[in-house]
Amino acid sequence: MGGDEFLVVARDLTAASLELRAEHCRHRPGTTFVPVASRAPLRIYVSLRPTMLRERNLGDEALDRADRLMDASKNAGKICVHLG
């Protein structure tokens, strides 16, 4: 993960509820505008890479999978969710 990437850990979610939560998190910033002096306000966009820990899955493996999913989101034109 790098400069503009963040990790959120959530528990007790199903794959369906994780995807729903991720879509909500993706949509919400897009409705927010940040005022900038002498410019038009900035609109915030995000891509998300939700992933679930799998049985016998180490944390590093989940982070690697999430990182690949983020690349897929960025390559798909951003502002999207790739669940894996």
Side-chain angles (χ1 to χ4, degrees):
M1 290 191 308
D4 61 347
E5 297 178 5
F6 302 91
L7 173 68
V8 175
V9 177
R11 47 184 268 194
D12 300 327
L13 295 175
T14 64
S17 64
L18 175 63
E19 187 169 19
L20 184 62
R21 173 105 18 121
E23 284 294 347
H24 175 76
C25 291
R26 180 195 60 80
H27 174 74
R28 182 69 183 221
T31 63
T32 303
F33 294 85
V34 179
V36 178
S38 69
R39 286 186 57 177
L42 296 177
R43 192 168 183 183
I44 300 170
Y45 296 102
V46 297
S47 293
L48 299 163
R49 54 181 178 192
T51 190
M52 300 186 70
L53 288 178
R54 297 176 180 158
E55 192 173 324
R56 294 190 225 166
N57 190 217
L58 300 174
D60 286 344
E61 293 171 4
L63 289 176
D64 288 343
R65 188 170 62 251
D67 205 35
R68 288 191 305 273
L69 291 166
M70 179 54 91
D71 289 341
S73 291
K74 289 179 178 179
N75 291 334
K78 302 183 181 182
I79 316 170
C80 57
V81 171
H82 280 87
L83 183 66

